[in-house]
Amino acid sequence: MNHQHRVKALNRLFQLDPQDRQVPQPPTGLEQLRWLGPSFIWMLSAAGSGELLFTPRIAALYGYALLWALLAAVVLKWFINREVGRFTVCTGATILEGFKQLPGPKNWAVWLILVPQFAVAISTVAGMAGAAATALILVTGGTVQLWTVIIILVTAAIVFLGQYNVVEKFSSFVGIARTLAIVTAALFVFPNVRELASGLVPQIPQDVQYQEVLPWLGFMLAGAAGMMWYSYWVDARGYGATALQQEEPLEVKQLDSEQQQRLQGWVKLMTLSNTLAVVGALLAALAFLILGGELLRPEGLVPKEDQVAETLGNLLGNIWGPFGFWFMIAIVFVTFCSTTLSVQDGFGRMFADGTQILLQGFGIRQGRWTNEKFLRKFYIAVLLAILPIAVYLVFGEPVGLLQTAGAIEAAHIPVVTGLTLFLNHRMLSRQLRPSGLSFWGTVIAGSFFAVFAVIYLLQLTGVIGSGGG
């Protein structure tokens, strides 16, 4: 990010007109393989909550009855992620910078995004670190509370000191090993095809609790925050117009046809990258659902609070014995820790960006509180370290904290979806806007999560009882 700011400063110094700079040619052939990183990293960061924790938990509670919802959530999020990525590829701006451009009261959309995400950030870091600590106590002893505090402090220090990229590479290899191990294990215990296929029929289990289902759907693949982080990862990788390193979103409608064709090529590459990530996440989610349904549900085991790691260890322990158990414990620890890191890094970037936008709206453009590097470190230290520690020590329930964060994320997804669609319609040329299929697929996606969020709120307030039929 510092490099980007230096380039922007040079552009201002030499007064280069953004319209005089050319959108780079999109890569072709094997060269495209070098550009698939943003979606891959984004997918791996998502696996810590939705796939690893909540999917086996849902399978242990409801078997395969909600398989249709899993498939729907993953496929529909493909549409939303693509529209977020489309905006950044075509304008060179992050999605929050785009929301700043929406008409109405100044920065109203940015406030609408950031305020709920404060609660999500604190709860997610506390919950993830607490879940990682349940693995550590099996090896070292001690208390979950002590190790949770240590994990939060260590991960925050890594991000604070700018060493996240080093750990990220290691986490990527662990993510690959995790997916291969889980998919292989799922093939070993593959269920009766008819039994699995029965879950493809939309149904709601008797006495379903939406406080279990909504966080699962919200965190599956990525929540509202994760979708916005995809914008930052695409920006950091230099897709499309992001290579121009502009202060403000590119005026796409003023570009000539050749430039717009180049952006179309970048959108296609981003779509390929997003599709591969979604397919990989779907394979992992299906594998966790099968393992949970075949190994945890018959024994009445549900991953919960301080027993998260021990229960999840049975997913491989029941197949490969002690080696499988401890291998799974290692996967649980590394996955939740790496997800904690990615959450601290992603939220640090998003809140720093958002704070700059809000302060500029108040006419404040200079000083420490408008410096992105300072803001990121401030948020990492306070919002993503001190406050999560305090919240965990008060509540002490990692699954409960993640359920709270997941429910807010799921309810926030329709908001991000609607704002992004409106933004793309307003700022992109007809040539670069989503097709009718993409537009309506994204509308359906936002509506899907909105329906589950409304039912959850109705059940939470006692307007309706537990679902049935």
Side-chain angles (χ1 to χ4, degrees):
M1 287 299 186
N2 290 336
H3 171 70
Q4 292 179 1
H5 288 304
R6 286 195 296 270
V7 174
K8 290 178 180 178
L10 286 172
N11 288 340
R12 291 194 300 273
L13 178 65
F14 292 106
Q15 296 182 325
L16 295 177
D17 185 347
Q19 304 303 326
D20 292 338
R21 299 199 300 276
Q22 298 290 304
V23 173
Q25 288 279 6
T28 57
L30 294 177
E31 182 69 13
Q32 294 181 355
L33 296 177
R34 296 178 56 248
W35 293 83
L36 301 180
S39 291
F40 185 68
I41 293 169
W42 169 78
M43 178 198 76
L44 292 176
S45 71
S49 49
E51 284 79 2
L52 180 56
L53 174 58
F54 287 122
T55 302
R57 185 177 170 90
I58 287 293
L61 292 169
Y62 306 117
Y64 301 119
L66 292 169
L67 171 61
W68 65 273
L70 182 156
L71 295 174
V74 172
V75 171
L76 291 174
K77 284 185 179 183
W78 177 88
F79 286 95
I80 305 173
N81 299 329
R82 186 166 179 253
E83 292 313 305
V84 171
R86 182 195 302 276
F87 176 80
T88 298
V89 167
C90 293
T91 67
T94 65
I95 197 70
L96 271 187
E97 290 169 337
F99 291 160
K100 180 180 71 172
Q101 311 295 324
L102 293 176
K106 185 171 288 186
N107 293 328
W108 67 272
V110 179
W111 284 107
L112 188 61
I113 292 297
L114 292 184
V115 172
Q117 290 299 327
F118 274 99
V120 173
I122 296 168
S123 298
T124 303
V125 171
M128 289 292 175
T134 65
L136 213 51
I137 61 171
L138 296 176
V139 181
T140 63
T143 65
V144 175
Q145 289 78 8
L146 173 63
W147 284 118
T148 298
V149 172
I150 292 173
I151 289 169
I152 292 175
L153 291 176
V154 170
T155 53
I158 290 172
V159 179
F160 188 91
L161 297 173
Q163 300 302 307
Y164 172 62
N165 290 340
V166 177
V167 180
E168 187 178 66
K169 293 178 181 178
F170 171 73
S171 300
S172 297
F173 289 113
V174 172
I176 294 170
R178 176 185 65 233
T179 300
L180 290 175
I182 292 302
V183 170
T184 302
L187 292 175
F188 270 95
V189 298
F190 202 80
N192 180 283
V193 174
R194 181 176 297 179
E195 182 181 354
L196 187 64
S198 66
L200 296 174
V201 180
Q203 57 189 297
I204 299 297
Q206 293 287 342
D207 299 323
V208 69
Q209 296 295 318
Y210 286 93
Q211 65 263 36
E212 298 283 354
V213 177
L214 189 67
W216 172 58
L217 296 178
F219 272 136
M220 179 66 60
L221 189 64
M227 292 172 180
M228 290 183 284
W229 298 345
Y230 186 49
S231 167
Y232 289 89
W233 280 318
V234 167
D235 179 43
R237 188 65 183 88
Y239 270 52
T242 65
L244 302 181
Q245 306 292 345
Q246 297 190 150
E247 284 286 349
E248 296 294 332
L250 181 67
E251 293 290 340
V252 180
K253 295 177 182 179
Q254 297 180 16
L255 296 178
D256 59 38
S257 59
E258 181 185 352
Q259 296 271 62
Q260 296 203 32
Q261 283 182 342
R262 291 183 181 185
L263 287 176
Q264 279 185 312
W266 282 105
V267 170
K268 288 180 181 178
L269 179 62
M270 180 272 298
T271 299
L272 172 63
S273 180
N274 181 41
T275 301
L276 292 176
V278 168
V279 170
L282 180 59
L283 283 175
L286 288 173
F288 276 120
L289 189 76
I290 290 170
L291 290 174
E294 297 300 312
L295 301 179
L296 299 185
R297 184 170 171 79
E299 297 183 26
L301 295 174
V302 179
K304 55 187 178 183
E305 307 313 345
D306 291 357
Q307 287 81 44
V308 167
E310 186 175 1
T311 303
L312 290 176
N314 290 292
L315 293 178
L316 297 185
N318 287 345
I319 303 174
W320 296 322
F323 168 79
F325 177 83
W326 290 109
F327 181 64
M328 189 65 198
I329 296 302
I331 286 176
V332 168
F333 175 71
V334 174
T335 298
F336 283 122
C337 281
S338 64
T339 305
T340 304
L341 281 164
S342 70
V343 166
Q344 290 167 324
D345 179 71
F347 273 119
R349 293 178 189 274
M350 189 174 80
F351 283 120
D353 187 20
T355 301
Q356 283 183 314
I357 291 170
L358 294 176
L359 290 177
Q360 288 170 5
F362 291 119
I364 303 172
R365 295 183 177 274
Q366 292 183 339
R368 173 180 291 182
W369 290 98
T370 60
N371 180 280
E372 184 178 358
K373 187 175 181 180
F374 170 79
L375 286 171
R376 283 184 64 195
K377 290 192 172 184
F378 170 79
Y379 280 118
I380 290 165
V382 178
L383 182 70
L384 302 166
I386 295 174
L387 290 178
I389 288 173
V391 166
Y392 186 85
L393 292 178
V394 171
F395 294 100
E397 296 183 348
V399 175
L401 288 167
L402 289 172
Q403 284 178 330
T404 299
I408 297 172
E409 284 284 77
H412 217 186
I413 288 173
V415 176
V416 173
T417 303
L419 291 176
T420 302
L421 278 177
F422 181 65
L423 190 63
N424 284 345
H425 177 78
R426 177 180 174 83
M427 297 193 65
L428 302 187
S429 64
R430 185 179 298 274
Q431 188 175 350
L432 292 169
R433 289 174 190 161
S435 65
L437 176 62
S438 295
F439 176 83
W440 288 109
T442 310
V443 169
I444 292 171
S447 302
F448 174 84
F449 291 100
V451 167
F452 272 96
V454 169
I455 295 173
Y456 165 76
L457 289 174
L458 292 176
Q459 191 179 82
L460 190 68
T461 56
V463 176
I464 63 172
S466 298

